């Protein structure tokens, strides 16, 4: 049985970094995505947009991780915007 993987696309759009995620966002990916976002913040990026519209599953640990990243970036004068309009 093949397991579906989380696809991650990273784009730079002007002053903003975009993470476009598709597939299942399982617990195993939480640390990886947190590390990526922390790296963007460390590198001086202050606007991060995360597109969640193509996710098929979101693990319960994702929301607390995103809130922690939001608090971290807001403490440095930045912001994270989430795009989601699907049932997941």
């Amino acid at each position: 049985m093949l397991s579906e993987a989380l696809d991650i696309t990273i784009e730079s759009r002007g002053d903003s970094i975009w993470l476009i995620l598709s597939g299942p966002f399982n617990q195993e990916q939480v640390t990886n995505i947190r590390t990526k976002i922390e790296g963007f913040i460390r590198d001086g990026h202050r606007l991060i947009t995360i597109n969640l519209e193509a996710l098929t599953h979101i693990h319960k640990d994702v929301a607390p991780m995103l809130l922690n990243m939001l608090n971290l970036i807001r403490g440095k004068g930045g912001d994270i915007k989430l795009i989601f309009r699907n049932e997941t």
Side-chain angles (χ1 to χ4, degrees):
M1 178 176 158
L2 294 175
S3 65
E4 196 178 352
L6 178 67
D7 290 323
I8 305 165
T9 303
I10 301 170
E11 298 178 0
S12 178
R13 297 184 185 181
D15 292 340
S16 183
I17 293 291
W18 279 61
L19 273 79
I20 303 162
L21 308 176
S22 62
F25 196 156
N26 295 317
Q27 184 179 21
E28 297 80 27
Q29 290 95 15
V30 170
T31 300
N32 182 31
I33 297 298
R34 182 179 60 238
T35 301
K36 285 186 185 315
I37 295 170
E38 288 171 340
F40 295 141
I41 295 168
R42 240 187 342 271
D43 290 345
H45 296 285
R46 296 297 176 256
L47 295 173
I48 299 173
T49 301
I50 305 173
N51 186 329
L52 307 168
E53 289 186 311
L55 291 180
T56 58
H57 169 76
I58 299 176
H59 189 271
K60 65 180 179 122
D61 291 344
V62 173
M65 179 272 296
L66 291 172
L67 289 172
N68 286 334
M69 294 298 94
L70 179 62
N71 287 334
L72 177 64
I73 200 167
R74 282 192 174 164
K76 298 180 181 296
D79 199 12
I80 292 179
K81 299 195 186 286
L82 302 175
I83 300 172
F84 58 95
R85 287 182 241 168
N86 62 20
E87 207 171 291
T88 303

